[in-house]
Amino acid sequence: MKNTETQDPNAGPHPPRWADWLLERFVAPHLLEDVQGDLHEVFYKQAEDAGLDNARRAFVWAVLNYLNPFFLKRKPEVYSQPTNTTMIRNYFKIAFRNLVRNKTYTAINVSGLALGMTCGILIFALVNYHLSFDNFHPHPDRVYRFVTEQHRTTTSYTASVPNPFGKVFRDDFTYGEKVARIATADGVLVTVTDGREIRKFKENEGVAFTELDFFDIFNYPLLQGTIKSALSEPNTAILTERMAKKFFGDSDPINKTFRLDNKVDFKVTGILKDLPINTDRKTEIYVSYNTLKQYDEWMASDDSWGGIRSSMQCFVRLRPGVSPAEVEKVLPAYVKKYRPTNKNVHHYKLQPLADFHFSAQYGGVITKTNLWVLGCIGLFLIITACVNFINLATALALKRSKEVGVRKVLGSLRGQLFWQFIAETGLITILAVLIAGLISWFAVPFVNDWFKAQITLNPFADWKLAVFLPLLALVVTFFAGSYPGLILAGFQPVTALKGKLSQQNIGGFNTRRTLIVGQFAISQVLIIGMIVITDQMRYSIQSDLGFNKEAVVMLPVATGSNALTMKTLKNQFSQIPGVKTVSVCQAAPASNQNVWNTSPKYDNRSEDEAFSMSVKSADDQYLPMFELKLVAGRNLFPSDTAKEFIVNETFGKKLGLKSSDELIGKMLSLNDGNTKGPIVGVIGDFHDRSFHEDINAVCMMSAPDMYGSYAVKIDLRTLKPTLAALEKTWSTLHPDQIYEYEFLDDQIANFYQTEDLMLKLIQSFAAIAIFIGCLGLYGLVSFMAAQKTKEIGIRKVLGSSMGQILWIFAKEFSRLILIAFVVAAPVAYYAMTAWLKNFIFRVDLGVGIFASAIVGTFLIAFITVGFKSIKAALMNPVKALRSE
């Protein structure tokens, strides 16, 4: 038997659409519904009796007859809006009853909207937080930071300049209204002595040696003291309120003293107001710049143009009318004057204050592109939740057709029915917003932990959030409710009461199919992205790095240590049971800490090489400790001075040599000839940075004054007692300092913090998108089950098995998922190929990744539709046939 109710509406007879359009444009709104309904009934009757062509001609003629003055529009629409408070109360009362009656429908819609809006609220708060950074300083359009592009064979970027740059620029030019240098030392030890009590603090954000004009350029107000008097003398310091309380408790901190890294004493002469959360400046201890020479003589030198440390920054507030381009034109003269022959060619630039937080090249926290991506994801998730609402609402429309028919017979107008459904949508949306706000409040600590942010959700203190929440509820109500409201309000009374609604009357499958394909396409893009990022992370962490990083603990070399102290502690560590090997070094083979890059001079050549070399200081146990392989020559001899070198194979390749043996015995000169010696060994290449970067040319030498860590290989079977013994030994020798340790594999994992965050985000968004997509799929299956009740009953009477009945549903969503995959696969391939280009060493985008995504999507979809499909297949056929 043919089931005409489930056919494509476009395949059945219908009046000419242009004639319907003409009728809707010219007939008065309060007459249109009755006129159009009568004409449609006559048309379908004539199409059956006299043929389709005759019916269409008659329909057109009838439409033209209605274009007379009585029926033409004579007044504006006045019935589409509620007219009084009684009617509005009635809308909400009926809406509440309908939602209580359809608990499953209500629960699914509320959960979907709440989840989508939770993401929207959190992403709005995060984007708003980042856009607020450093927006409180005076004259922000004139504040800049000097930055450096370093051009060798490749170009690198640093948010700093040579140490003398600020002084020379201030003396030579008048472009700057205020110019200030600031040198930051991170991870410092602060010692506070109060009578016999000695308190030690490890300050990871460090201390800043600051010129006075810094506090004129930036708005960090003092609560006690004045800037000019507070930092004008050597060995003076100002602290934030929080830091002063931390060091000195409730006592007055003014004129109290503290010691920095057991080297320099400072007197507190001022108290800063606590730094706001929306600033990139995290240092809370500021000391006089003219004390820098006591702490680091090289950093304080006004002649050290040879290199750059990231800790030295220079800021300027330009005079009114001075453009950045005007200033940048004069800066190349410094390169010609102070670095005329250096192969590391500097290009000095000005970076605007508004770019500090968002520039990835110069250490920005997050790019504006990423904020746009987050914003689009939040918008998409909200739209997807609205789409699910539409799917489920139109699926439920069949059950409400007779209700609508009765209301229309009793005199309800289309506008009144529309606003009744909007009221239902409003109730659901309000409930969803309340739940979303509660979930968001609980989720804020996790978001702050992931993004290293300090966002808060307080609409009473944040006017932007207070505007966003009701605006979100209003937009979602009308976006999600308008289409189903128009569908319900448009039912013809006779057709609705007879239960003869077609797919065209309730929106048809095509709209739902398109929406679900879009949902699952996005879900599969996210799933593919999640698989690729997971594979790349696993590859980065588990690949052979060229050295052994397992069971290695990194301990700090204490401030003030000398070669004898380090040798003593190394020997004591070696005697601890559970310790296998100990090496004193600058840093681990792969590290972002204590990095020194310089241009080498090879074999007594007259000029430096065009490429950069990474210098690592280490003792003779470094190679056996990390199992670095010698391919030519020998290891370093034990020494307290840098008099010989080991290089890696990449160094020879960059020189164009065919064999590593050619390097042995050749002279190597670093740091403008201040460090030189023969090359005595060549080691195999290893990853000295993350997989984002290619393997650099590397050299190693023994230089105790550059050592920063003890690398200790331990037996993991005795982990706890060994760690305790290491701490006791280290603290006994350095009682005035703070002990810390870190496993090497954790240090290496820190290379990929951004990727780890991205993985967490894409896992979360994929899960949410899949969940919302499954709600949409459930809506489609619900719609199909309601439409095909009679068909399923007839098929079962004629002997169809459960498998054949289930296939009716399975073939529908299988086709949609396959179409979604065809759309998603090229998009995901393009996006992930672009993302993988950030890695020099990366995984391949194989077929298996895409196969895993489609199989996983099918499994999720089967679970989603299984319950509803089986329930429909198990329905009693007699009951199914009676239901219609």
Side-chain angles (χ1 to χ4, degrees), residues 29 125 149 198 206 214 259 267 277 344 379 416 451 456 466 477 480-481 535 549 554 591 607 708 714 731 796 847:
E149 294 179 9
I198 298 176
F214 177 84
R259 190 168 181 80
K267 181 175 69 173
I277 61 173
N344 177 10
L379 180 63
Q416 293 171 325
F451 286 92
T456 57
T477 298
D535 286 353
K549 61 182 176 64
M554 305 300 294
S591 176
E607 293 185 351
I714 63 176
S731 299
K796 293 192 74 173
V847 176

Side-chain angles (χ1 to χ4, degrees), residues 456-530:
T456 57
L457 289 178
N458 185 358
F460 300 103
D462 184 354
W463 70 268
K464 292 181 181 178
L465 185 62
V467 171
F468 175 76
L469 291 177
L471 186 63
L472 175 65
L474 190 65
V475 170
V476 168
T477 298
F478 281 93
F479 181 78
S482 295
Y483 178 72
L486 291 172
I487 293 294
L488 280 171
F491 287 170
Q492 297 299 328
V494 176
T495 307
L497 289 172
K498 289 181 178 179
K500 299 296 183 181
L501 291 174
S502 68
Q503 293 179 26
Q504 185 178 14
N505 295 125
I506 52 177
F509 269 149
N510 289 336
T511 301
R512 272 173 289 280
R513 285 169 176 160
T514 302
L515 295 174
I516 289 173
V517 165
Q519 288 175 333
F520 272 92
I522 298 296
S523 297
Q524 290 186 48
V525 169
L526 292 172
I527 291 171
I528 292 168
M530 179 178 64

Side-chain angles (χ1 to χ4, degrees), residues 182-360:
I182 184 168
T184 305
D186 296 327
V188 297
L189 174 69
V190 175
T191 305
V192 177
T193 302
D194 185 7
R196 295 184 177 181
E197 182 185 5
I198 298 176
R199 297 189 300 274
K200 296 177 291 183
F201 305 90
K202 184 65 177 290
E203 296 301 326
N204 291 324
E205 298 297 343
V207 60
F209 293 84
T210 312
E211 291 187 327
L212 293 178
D213 283 348
F214 177 84
F215 292 98
D216 286 327
I217 297 173
F218 296 101
N219 181 27
Y220 299 117
L222 270 177
L223 299 178
Q224 291 181 251
T226 62
I227 292 297
K228 290 184 178 180
S229 62
L231 294 181
S232 59
E233 298 295 326
N235 301 93
T236 53
I238 56 178
L239 310 175
T240 63
E241 292 176 277
R242 190 188 73 85
M243 199 60 61
K245 188 172 184 63
K246 178 180 178 180
F247 291 167
F248 304 108
D250 295 327
S251 61
D252 185 3
I254 299 298
N255 294 324
K256 296 287 179 66
T257 62
F258 64 87
R259 190 168 181 80
L260 180 65
D261 279 338
N262 293 323
K263 291 195 294 186
V264 187
D265 292 318
F266 290 93
K267 181 175 69 173
V268 178
T269 53
I271 301 299
L272 277 175
K273 183 179 180 181
D274 281 340
L275 303 179
I277 61 173
N278 58 333
T279 179
D280 286 317
R281 174 61 55 183
K282 303 302 180 185
T283 308
E284 298 185 76
I285 306 172
Y286 295 86
V287 299
S288 53
Y289 189 87
N290 50 19
T291 317
L292 180 59
K293 190 172 183 179
Q294 300 177 40
Y295 185 82
D296 188 326
E297 190 170 350
W298 184 85
M299 284 281 285
S301 171
D302 287 335
D303 298 318
S304 51
W305 285 88
I308 294 180
R309 284 190 189 173
S310 59
S311 54
M312 174 61 74
Q313 295 189 339
C314 182
F315 300 92
V316 61
R317 185 169 72 211
L318 299 180
R319 295 184 183 277
V322 176
S323 69
E326 187 179 353
V327 177
E328 289 179 349
K329 284 181 181 179
V330 303
L331 299 182
Y334 287 150
V335 179
K336 295 178 181 178
K337 182 176 181 180
Y338 297 107
R339 301 172 57 88
T341 61
N342 200 305
K343 289 296 183 71
N344 177 10
V345 181
H346 285 185
H347 293 246
Y348 305 119
K349 306 286 184 181
L350 284 173
Q351 181 190 20
L353 173 64
D355 194 44
F356 288 5
H357 190 71
F358 305 107
S359 174

Side-chain angles (χ1 to χ4, degrees), residues 571-583:
N571 291 334
Q572 292 179 4
F573 284 157
S574 301
Q575 296 171 11
I576 296 174
V579 171
K580 296 181 177 180
T581 316
V582 183
S583 172

Side-chain angles (χ1 to χ4, degrees), residues 627-664:
E627 299 179 18
L628 294 165
K629 300 175 182 177
L630 271 172
V631 296
R634 60 169 175 82
N635 191 7
L636 297 170
F637 287 142
S639 174
D640 291 338
T641 57
K643 57 185 180 183
E644 56 186 15
F645 297 96
I646 291 177
V647 298
N648 66 345
E649 291 177 297
T650 293
F651 179 65
K653 294 173 185 175
K654 291 195 172 188
L655 290 172
L657 303 181
K658 296 181 179 179
S659 170
S660 297
D661 292 325
E662 297 179 52
L663 292 166
I664 303 301

Side-chain angles (χ1 to χ4, degrees), residues 708-727:
S709 299
Y710 299 96
V712 184
K713 183 177 283 293
I714 63 176
D715 187 344
L716 293 178
R717 293 173 298 182
T718 59
L719 177 62
K720 287 187 177 180
T722 303
L723 290 177
L726 289 172
E727 179 177 5

